[in-house]
Amino acid sequence: MNLLTEILDFFLPRVCPGCGNRLTVDEDTVCPKCIDKIKLASPERLCREFERKFQGKNIISGFTSLYVFEEGKEFQNIVHALKYNGRFSIGTFLGEQLGKTLLNMAFDWKINIIIPIPLHQLKKAERGYNQSFYIAKGIGKILNTPVKQNLVKRKKFTQTQTTMNLKEREENMRDAFIIKNSNELLDKNILLIDDVITTGATISECGRILLNAGANRIYAASTAIAD
Ligand SMILES: [Zn+2]
C-alpha cells in the first residue's frame, strides 16, 4: 500500500464488505478475518456440483468455484456490496483470488478467451456495471488472458430466479442470449464467469449458444456455488 492509500484511508475510510469493520492500510478490499471465515468449496463438493449441474448436458467441459455461498454469512454481505452498493472493485479482488486457483486448471483447459455472463442492458443501466465483468477482469489479470464482453449479449430480460426450480430456470433462460461476433469465437476455448452459480442453468444456456456459434470448448468458474 502506498502513501496515497494512507491519505485516502484517513479521509475516506475503507470498510470490509464482509463485517463492516475499517480496513487497515495493509488490507486489500476484504479483511483477513472474513476471508478466513468464508467456506471454501472442497474438491469433493466441486465434483458433486459438476455432476449435479452440468454432467450429461455435454456443454460445460470443466467447472470450478472458490467459495460456498451461505445465507446470512460474510460472503453474502460481500456479494451484496459488489452487486448493489457500487463496490465493483470487490469483483476484481474476488476474481484475482479465483484466478489463483484457476492457474493449474487453465493450463490444461487452454483458455483463449474469458467471457463474463452478460447482464441485460436494462439491468446493467440500473446497476451501472456488470459485476461479473470485474470478476473476469481479476481472473484475466492472473491468467494473462483477454476478457471479452461484447461477443455475447443478453436479449431476454429475466426476472429473479431465486424462487424457481431447475426446470423453471432452464425454461426461463431459453434463448436468453444472442451471439454478437461469431468470428472471434470460432474454435476458441472459453471460460465463462458468473458471480454465483446456483443451478447452472444460466451458464449452460450461454455455453450452449457459444458452442452452436462454433466455440471449441466451454469451461465455467464462479466465485461461489449456492444451493
Ligand atoms: Zn471483514
Side-chain angles (χ1 to χ4, degrees):
M1 288 290 163
N2 55 27
L3 183 65
L4 183 66
T5 311
E6 284 191 46
I7 295 168
L8 283 173
D9 271 4
F10 181 78
F11 291 107
L12 257 179
R14 298 172 306 137
V15 294
C16 168
C19 61
N21 290 333
R22 236 180 115 158
L23 293 169
T24 67
V25 272
D26 305 317
E27 289 169 358
D28 177 15
T29 315
V30 180
C31 83
K33 276 187 191 153
C34 283
I35 299 263
D36 282 349
K37 283 188 204 156
I38 307 169
K39 190 173 171 184
L40 286 167
S42 67
E44 298 74 35
R45 174 80 189 256
L46 288 171
C47 239
R48 228 169 44 231
E49 295 290 342
F50 182 81
E51 283 170 17
R52 220 159 62 112
K53 298 179 201 303
F54 303 116
Q55 212 161 48
K57 290 189 184 138
N58 295 322
I59 296 170
I60 304 300
S61 300
F63 149 78
T64 198
S65 208
L66 194 52
Y67 300 120
V68 176
F69 185 92
E70 296 177 295
E71 281 299 324
K73 296 282 186 75
E74 290 77 10
F75 192 75
Q76 187 177 25
N77 299 339
I78 294 168
V79 173
H80 192 275
L82 164 65
K83 288 171 78 166
Y84 306 111
N85 298 348
R87 295 190 60 183
F88 51 81
S89 65
I90 296 170
T92 318
F93 173 82
L94 293 174
E96 284 172 13
Q97 316 303 311
L98 179 57
K100 287 172 200 162
T101 73
L102 271 162
L103 274 170
N104 290 328
M105 291 165 219
F107 186 75
D108 292 332
W109 294 354
K110 296 181 175 62
I111 301 296
N112 304 113
I113 315 171
I114 302 171
I115 297 183
I117 290 287
L119 286 182
H120 189 274
Q121 54 184 4
L122 285 177
K123 209 171 241 178
K124 193 173 165 186
E126 183 194 350
R127 191 168 293 168
Y129 55 91
N130 177 358
Q131 71 282 357
S132 295
F133 168 69
Y134 288 94
I135 299 169
K137 240 177 82 169
I139 297 170
K141 191 174 140 194
I142 301 292
L143 300 184
N144 197 20
T145 305
V147 175
K148 306 261 183 180
Q149 59 169 348
N150 298 322
L151 304 183
V152 51
K153 226 179 131 176
R154 196 160 189 149
K155 62 170 181 177
K156 191 166 156 187
F157 189 87
T158 47
Q159 294 304 327
T160 176
Q161 303 198 104
T162 43
T163 57
M164 297 179 191
N165 64 30
L166 176 60
K167 270 271 152 291
E168 288 165 337
R169 283 183 189 227
E170 281 175 348
E171 195 54 48
N172 191 40
M173 286 313 298
R174 188 148 302 143
D175 299 320
F177 301 101
I178 186 168
I179 299 291
K180 295 308 280 182
N181 190 342
S182 54
N183 284 343
E184 285 197 53
L185 300 167
L186 217 55
D187 299 323
K188 296 288 193 291
N189 293 332
I190 295 166
L191 178 64
L192 276 179
I193 305 301
D194 208 350
D195 48 5
V196 179
I197 292 180
T198 307
T199 58
T202 306
I203 286 277
S204 293
E205 176 61 15
C206 194
R208 186 182 69 81
I209 67 147
L210 288 168
L211 285 175
N212 283 350
N216 184 43
R217 276 174 189 273
I218 311 295
Y219 298 91
S222 64
T223 58
I225 35 175
D227 284 324

